[in-house]
Amino acid sequence: MPGDNPFLDPQRFERRIEPCVVVIFGASGDLAKRKLVPALYRLAYERRLPPGFAILGVSRTPLSDDDFRAKMKESVQKYLENSPFDESLWNEFARGLFYEAGDIGNTASFVELGKRLDAVAAERNTSGNVLFYLSTQPSQYGPAAAGLGKAGLAKQDKGWRRLIIEKPFGHDQQSARELEVSLHEFFAENQLYRIDHYLGKETVQNILAFRFGNPIFEPLWNRNYINHVQITAAESIGVEDRIQYYQDAGALRDMIQNHLLQVMATVTMEPSAVFEATAVRDERAKLLRSIRIWKPEEVMENTVAGQYGPASIAGQNVVGFRQEPKADPKAKTDTFAAATFFVENWRWADVPFYIRTGKRMPKRVTDIAIRFNSVPHSLFKTMSDGEQIETARPNVLVLRIQPEEGISLRFSSKQPGAGMTLRPVSMDFNYGSSFGVRTPAAYETLLLDAMLGDATLYTRQDMVEASWSVVQPILDTWAARADDPFPNYDAGTWGPKASDEMLARRGHTWRVP
Amino acid sequence: MATAVQPEKILKELANLWVDLAKEDSAKSANGVIRACSMTLLIASASEEDAESAAETAAELLRAHPGRAISLRFQTSGESVLESRVFARCWMPYGQRQQLCSEQIEISASMDRLADVYAAVLGITVPDLPVVLWTTTPSLLFRPEFAEMLMLARTVIIDTAKLPDTCLALTRVNELFQQGWRMKDLNWSRLTVWREAIAHVFEHDSWRELIPLIDAVTISHRGTTLSTDVCYMAAWLGARLPAAKIIFINGAENVDEGVQSVSIAAGVRHASVSSSESGRLAIDVDGKQHQVLMPPQTEQALLHEELSIAGRDPIFEQALTGAAKYSGAPNV
Ligand SMILES: NC(=O)c1ccc[n+]([C@@H]2O[C@H](COP(=O)([O-])OP(=O)(O)OC[C@H]3O[C@@H](n4cnc5c(N)ncnc54)[C@H](OP(=O)(O)O)[C@@H]3O)[C@@H](O)[C@H]2O)c1
């Protein structure tokens, strides 16, 4: 074997993607048109795609290659974010777009797909490398993997074969295991790329840069200095057209089981020795396995389920979840979920991590607030109504994921004028606008990484299992409730009262993001 | 005409500027201006034309590399002058709601006032952040009185394509590098796309196996003497292909300066990369051809590439030290 390529210059050359075909199952669906194809087009715009590159769309709807190209052109023009559309580049890109009608439930479709793949590979010179993307309903992941496997399409004898799946990875612990068995029947773990688009967000990656690239914070990053952590992922919208899926899933499954536990792991994991897929994922997985699992009798005290009811928001009447079109009027869906977690290791023992997520909250925001301890001894008091009031407020470091990505630190400063009264001020770093350049969308980063074979930002099976172990007892206890507490918060508020009470039990309050 | 430039005054003007900007902006929107800084960029020019085009380039560049730009305009003849002005460049980044502003300071001075300029700049560079000196008029680097200005920066950017004498250019850049400056040459950045195409040829195992057997590399270029990029290319290839003889040939006259094609041969195996019309590179590996689009090679794009490399650049350093020996090499 010849050695490394001495001509490479990693400081200047982009990592190269080998020629390949991306097969999108569910090509006529929402995700493909809103996110996947625009992200791939954008990569072409950035000259990141190799000359031998193709997309082969698959779904049941019959479409010609040209129909598919026309549909995708329309969506790229519509959904391309922060980027111009270039007609001549599109024409070049569209030459690599193909479509094959096929049904995941039908074995013959995979045989046809194999033949079509060979033809596309020959036409585009892609030498057998294929990335399969399952952008279909989760119930089809198992059958699709099996169909590919039985048709011999998972074999890596002519080039690499990788499979991307979208969350949810199972509906509960049991189905997650079943899914794992069916995926692993034909695909090895290192061929599987489980997407968690939160991990692809530039600002989530920046958490690692912030923690492990700035030694001044690391000494403070533990139970000795941090009082508690609050993670909020709020949406102002309702369920929109995702009701079918959401009604069965709920907020705990939809957001906490995957994204927010991953974010928590990013904030709390130990530094890995190197920034490589296995090492980083080992640390993440280790952290997820260290989260205390609540016993059934502890669940209600440490978690809160909520569902929004009708309300008037800024003069507009908004329906409750049960009144949403196509919703079950007795649905027990949690549209809000909050939980207290503890990480059982030396660094984090006894530090509460409060996570909340919900729909129809006052605003769309995702952030992580790290609340440091109060001053050990107060010097700066002021008298009010015969009472001594401490004016130094605890420091809070906020890592903002969206929408205004950045970092801010609250600290106390002297109020101008006579006396020694302190007031909190915020020091702000705005990620996107500080650099004034476009940050890549999560799907661009993740697709690029999968084509490069870099799984650092992808979820591994042991992480999926560890998160289910944390979430399953909560789901079980909630499901076993005899009463019907819903709805228990008004649309447009920060969730049920019980959520405030959960924090109050430990002397804390939710901040207003 | 003002004859003094006081750092305190400039810094005060800057502070006022930010207050004004914030007021102006909050009148328009609730989002405020963002002040961002990652370096001080000193831009030294000795002609009005260089200074004007550099100011425009810097304004664009500061979007991706926010910082304080200090434009030094030296007048090599005429009366003794020293004056300054302060302004901000603001823009709305694509898809954002907040204005982003960068500060710019302009100092005009005659060469006899260099010592004063040095003192003034010393007082207005941003503390704790890197200082980069971009000499848009590269001949300044050869002027003894300019030596003091160099002391202000750790990194010096130059475009040796603007210098007529390759040998002198490489000698001076090497000298500064040996003395401890981190040197960057835009005529090296122009080669990135070429080097990337060549590196791609060696991604194939069969080509990497050939490395010890490659006996000839031919670089075709324009002109009767070798330009610095041709020398860099020769040094870069020479260091990686130990058995190869490097041959230079004169290419067509009607094309851009510099490298026109690179051919690599080992027995019957052959690969070449050559520039073709309409901004493409044509790549031929064992008779199989394809083309890649050349990225834009504007001054701004080249500077952006250089500024994106924060630390040392050993690959360039090696090419720089190796390039000198080719600067007097004969053409075939
Ligand atoms: N949309 C989003 O923003 C989003 C965000 C995060 C995760 N996800 C996940 O991404 C996946 C796809 O979501 P989506 O919103 O794109 O769903 P969707 O709009 O319902 O699309 C489903 C796609 O699957 C195809 N399909 C259905 N049955 C098929 C079969 N038997 N054989 C072949 N193709 C079949 C459909 O096309 P035909 O009817 O023509 O077959 C359609 O193209 C889901 O797992 C979802 O949970 C979506």
Side-chain angles (χ1 to χ4, degrees), chain B:
Chain B
M1 183 161 290
T3 54
V5 167
Q6 292 164 349
E8 290 78 16
K9 194 166 155 269
I10 293 180
L11 293 177
K12 196 157 179 218
E13 277 174 32
L14 277 181
N16 289 340
L17 186 77
W18 284 104
V19 172
D20 288 348
L21 280 172
K23 275 192 207 140
E24 215 176 276
D25 199 81
S26 59
K28 274 188 256 148
S29 71
N31 295 308
V33 284
I34 298 282
R35 178 184 197 171
C37 200
S38 67
M39 63 167 175
T40 301
L41 178 66
L42 303 178
I43 308 160
S45 329
S47 83
E48 203 51 35
E49 201 188 331
D50 281 351
E52 277 309 316
S53 84
E56 271 170 37
T57 305
E60 283 293 313
L61 195 67
L62 289 172
R63 295 171 181 230
H65 303 273
R68 177 177 294 172
I70 306 177
S71 173
L72 309 169
R73 301 178 171 213
F74 295 110
Q75 294 165 16
T76 44
S77 59
E79 59 179 309
S80 175
V81 292
L82 180 63
E83 57 185 2
S84 72
R85 85 187 169 101
V86 165
F87 55 100
R89 294 208 184 242
C90 297
W91 60 90
M92 196 73 86
Y94 204 95
Q96 300 277 344
R97 281 175 296 144
Q98 264 166 323
Q99 259 208 108
L100 182 60
C101 294
S102 266
E103 14 182 77
Q104 293 211 13
I105 300 163
E106 204 177 86
I107 300 181
S108 305
S110 47
M111 290 306 273
D112 62 321
R113 305 298 300 267
L114 267 175
D116 295 324
V117 175
Y118 173 79
V121 173
L122 207 53
I124 54 177
T125 54
V126 183
D128 306 316
L129 289 174
V131 180
V132 176
L133 171 65
W134 171 32
T135 44
T136 66
T137 312
S139 58
L140 280 171
L141 286 183
F142 294 83
R143 297 178 80 113
E145 67 270 39
F146 194 74
E148 195 173 23
M149 296 305 299
L150 285 171
M151 304 305 291
L152 290 164
R154 170 90 201 280
T155 302
V156 177
I157 305 181
I158 179 180
D159 185 356
T160 54
K162 290 183 179 173
L163 289 167
D165 188 324
T166 301
C167 194
L168 276 180
L170 289 176
T171 309
R172 182 67 180 137
V173 178
N174 257 303
E175 225 169 63
L176 291 170
F177 169 60
Q178 298 304 337
Q179 287 165 14
W181 274 277
R182 201 168 270 164
M183 299 303 295
K184 291 173 180 287
D185 184 354
L186 302 188
N187 217 20
W188 166 254
S189 342
R190 288 189 183 92
L191 294 179
T192 301
V193 57
W194 289 83
R195 295 192 300 118
E196 201 166 6
I198 294 168
H200 198 215
V201 173
F202 289 92
E203 287 286 276
H204 297 275
D205 289 354
S206 74
W207 270 89
R208 284 210 300 290
E209 276 160 5
L210 281 182
I211 288 177
L213 308 174
I214 291 172
D215 46 16
V217 172
T218 310
I219 303 177
S220 152
H221 66 101
R222 196 186 90 167
T224 44
T225 56
L226 306 185
S227 49
T228 53
D229 56 339
V230 177
C231 297
Y232 287 142
M233 179 59 91
W236 181 69
L237 288 167
R240 284 156 184 80
L241 300 171
K245 179 170 164 31
I246 309 231
I247 303 154
F248 302 96
I249 57 168
N250 268 321
E253 276 301 319
N254 57 346
V255 285
D256 282 347
E257 289 232 318
V259 177
Q260 284 176 10
S261 76
V262 176
S263 311
I264 299 170
V268 292
R269 305 286 300 274
H270 174 266
S272 72
V273 178
S274 30
S275 64
S276 70
E277 70 292 359
S278 68
R280 282 161 202 268
L281 275 190
I283 299 155
D284 182 321
V285 183
D286 297 321
K288 284 205 194 81
Q289 287 137 7
H290 76 276
Q291 297 208 333
V292 292
L293 259 179
M294 282 254 222
Q297 298 223 331
T298 58
E299 202 167 44
Q300 183 208 333
L302 301 173
L303 281 161
H304 171 68
E305 179 174 324
E306 291 304 328
L307 290 175
S308 301
I309 298 176
R312 280 188 50 214
D313 184 359
I315 296 178
F316 171 60
E317 289 165 12
Q318 186 197 40
L320 173 64
T321 9
K325 77 166 186 242
Y326 294 103
S327 58
N331 275 313
V332 173

Side-chain angles (χ1 to χ4, degrees), chain A residues 25-32 34-35 58-61 99 102-105 134-138 140-141 166-168 197 242 245 443:
Chain A
F25 287 93
S28 61
D30 187 55
L31 185 71
R34 283 201 311 148
K35 301 281 182 190
V58 182
S59 44
R60 291 166 308 181
T61 312
Y99 184 85
D103 186 341
I104 291 173
L134 299 185
S135 174
T136 58
Q137 292 315 309
Q140 284 158 339
Y141 296 166
E166 271 284 344
K167 68 151 202 195
H197 69 269
R242 286 180 74 211
Y245 157 75
Y443 277 102

Side-chain angles (χ1 to χ4, degrees), chain A residues 227-250:
Chain A
N227 182 279
H228 70 273
V229 176
Q230 298 186 10
I231 301 178
T232 301
E235 281 183 80
S236 55
I237 54 168
V239 282
E240 314 277 284
D241 46 9
R242 286 180 74 211
I243 186 103
Q244 224 75 358
Y245 157 75
Y246 197 85
Q247 186 158 283
D248 284 343

